[in-house]
Amino acid sequence: MFTISHSDGNARVGKFQTAHGEFNTPAFMPCGTKGAVKTLTPDELKTLGVEILLGNTYHLTLRPGEELIKGQGGLHTWMGWDGPILTDSGGFQVFSLSKMRKINDNGVEFRSHIDGEKKFLTPEKSIDIQLALDSDIVMAFDECATGDSDHSYAKEAMERTHSWLTRSIEQFNSSENAKNRFLFGIIQGVIFDDLRVESAKFVSQQDLPGIAIGGLSVGESKDHMYHSLEILLPHLPNKKPHYLMGVGTPEDILNGVERGIDMFDCVLPTRLARHGTFWNKTGRHHIKNEEYKVQRAPLESGCACYTCSNFSASYLRHLIMESEILGHRLLTIHNLHFLLDLMRNIRKAVAEGHFTKFKREFLATFQK
């Protein structure tokens, strides 16, 4: 379960214990969307300091299917990762298929993006899939309304999410496979303060092991995101982990931790790497820029990652210009190291009581 060891303002340091080990919070979870973090092995992830991965219910149920994975011993055994795994419910992916799905109160009918086959996903089915995958942290099925939804639709989606949470809880509690697993509920409400507070109160009342905030970073402004986190904080259970879904830029992580967030996930470190983009202490940069053509220095001076310890920016630019897979791997290693090192430094700053100073100094040099 979850224990908090230090706090500094609303920022906290803690640990969450699962059947497959513990992870430290604040935590960043790389996305193993289809059973792998793109281009990296489990051993490389451990070397980087990854403690928990995210798996994607939607993609894994479409291919190869949860029953195949269950027959292989579960997702941990199948992908060679013995640490904790959190699976999303599939809701975000299904609702992003706006032209390929139909919603009713029972669930969502959609067509597979792979072959167009018609599928139907319900709260009960989502829970069953995640338990078949042997997930440590299971997410309730929710409706993720878009950031530009009006109040009327946002309220409808929130109420449907609450109904589906009740059904998710019932299905989870009735399953023999739920032993030593944890179910998190999800807050929705788009950018409307009254709906966000109503949803936070409803989800908190379910007394689940953790609480997630969904439907942010889906098109609304950064100011709206941060404001939503601020108005939610007084209504979140203090002794439970708070998970901000789908968020993972350095500035958003710092602002989230400042507002009581303990867990983050995002595809950005690996996606940016595949497009030749990397982070360092001065911000976000593109390796294809001409300035890196003859740069003998690494991506970041003093960086301890394998990439910066062994290769120049010039060589990395060459690999990316030539679409060499090694280039994608090396940038991925660096980007994940950068974020995971940020999480380590955040935990240290909170434990030592100077998180605000650390955040201010980091963002003074980091250009978004």
Side-chain angles (χ1 to χ4, degrees):
M1 287 293 284
F2 184 60
T3 57
I4 298 171
S5 58
H6 300 86
S7 61
D8 182 11
N10 294 318
R12 303 110 63 85
V13 170
K15 291 181 183 292
F16 196 102
Q17 183 69 43
T18 78
H20 289 91
E22 69 179 18
F23 60 91
N24 292 285
T25 63
F28 177 77
M29 300 178 286
C31 294
T33 303
K34 300 176 182 179
V37 176
K38 293 188 185 302
T39 77
L40 300 186
T41 69
D43 282 348
E44 288 170 327
L45 295 171
K46 287 188 176 181
T47 298
L48 285 165
V50 175
E51 296 179 329
I52 176 171
L53 296 180
L54 181 141
N56 190 286
T57 295
Y58 168 82
H59 287 286
L60 291 173
T61 192
L62 289 184
R63 191 166 59 194
E66 68 277 9
E67 290 304 319
L68 184 148
I69 295 173
K70 182 179 180 180
Q72 296 291 319
L75 189 55
H76 298 83
T77 300
W78 192 58
M79 66 183 287
W81 171 259
D82 60 4
I85 294 175
L86 178 149
T87 48
D88 61 18
S89 70
F92 178 80
Q93 285 72 30
V94 168
F95 293 110
S96 68
L97 302 171
S98 58
K99 297 180 180 179
M100 302 171 66
R101 47 87 170 161
K102 297 178 182 178
I103 307 169
N104 61 46
D105 289 340
N106 190 38
V108 185
E109 179 187 283
F110 66 99
R111 291 191 178 276
S112 165
H113 73 282
I114 297 172
D115 57 12
E117 182 181 352
K118 188 179 292 186
K119 304 283 187 179
F120 195 74
L121 191 58
T122 66
E124 293 80 8
K125 178 64 174 174
S126 173
I127 296 297
D128 288 345
I129 293 169
Q130 294 178 75
L131 292 175
L133 294 173
D134 195 24
S135 173
D136 295 287
I137 299 177
V138 173
M139 300 305 299
F141 194 55
D142 65 317
E143 180 176 353
C144 182
T146 59
D148 60 356
S149 298
D150 62 23
H151 189 279
S152 175
Y153 188 81
K155 181 176 176 62
E156 180 184 335
M158 179 200 70
E159 290 174 344
R160 188 176 287 120
T161 290
H162 294 173
S163 172
W164 287 354
L165 174 57
T166 300
R167 290 167 55 187
S168 294
I169 292 170
E170 291 174 354
Q171 187 70 9
F172 183 86
N173 288 340
S174 66
S175 175
E176 296 180 357
N177 297 324
K179 185 178 180 181
N180 297 322
R181 304 291 178 259
F182 302 98
L183 176 66
F184 284 20
I186 302 175
I187 296 167
Q188 290 291 351
V190 193
I191 59 171
F192 301 104
D193 290 5
D194 61 327
L195 298 182
R196 283 287 177 181
V197 170
E198 181 181 348
S199 189
K201 289 179 178 179
F202 180 88
V203 179
S204 297
Q205 288 168 359
Q206 310 311 308
D207 195 27
L208 296 168
I211 191 164
I213 301 164
L216 293 178
S217 194
V218 291
E220 81 288 349
S221 70
K222 297 281 190 183
D223 287 342
H224 275 128
M225 181 201 298
Y226 301 153
H227 172 74
S228 292
L229 295 180
E230 287 168 3
I231 63 107
L232 282 174
L233 185 57
H235 306 284
L236 301 179
N238 185 56
K239 295 183 179 180
K240 306 289 179 68
H242 310 152
Y243 168 27
L244 180 56
M245 305 181 74
V247 171
T249 67
E251 65 271 20
D252 287 348
I253 288 173
L254 285 161
N255 280 291
V257 169
E258 185 177 46
R259 293 161 174 82
I261 300 301
D262 306 294
M263 298 167 62
F264 303 85
D265 81 276
C266 194
V267 299
L268 210 53
T270 53
R271 179 176 289 169
L272 289 179
R274 296 195 302 279
H275 291 87
T277 303
F278 66 94
W279 288 304
N280 64 23
K281 62 185 176 183
T282 64
R284 179 168 159 172
H285 309 278
H286 201 281
I287 196 67
K288 289 186 178 181
N289 288 349
E290 193 70 15
E291 64 185 286
Y292 299 111
K293 187 173 184 177
V294 295
Q295 180 175 309
R296 299 179 69 177
L299 299 176
E300 180 166 18
S301 178
C303 176
C305 80
Y306 174 80
T307 302
C308 289
S309 298
N310 291 278
F311 304 102
S312 68
S314 174
Y315 179 62
L316 294 167
R317 182 181 185 276
H318 164 72
L319 293 177
I320 295 299
M321 294 296 289
E322 297 298 328
S323 300
E324 288 286 350
I325 293 173
L326 179 59
H328 300 157
R329 276 175 44 75
L330 293 175
L331 285 185
T332 298
I333 287 170
H334 172 79
N335 283 348
L336 279 175
H337 172 86
F338 183 85
L339 271 195
L340 293 164
D341 196 50
L342 174 62
M343 305 312 296
R344 287 186 285 267
N345 287 327
I346 286 173
R347 293 193 293 265
K348 183 174 184 289
V350 173
E352 294 176 353
H354 56 79
F355 171 74
T356 300
K357 178 174 180 287
F358 172 80
K359 173 178 177 277
R360 182 176 64 250
E361 291 177 350
F362 181 95
L363 292 179
T365 62
F366 186 85
Q367 300 300 312
K368 303 173 187 177

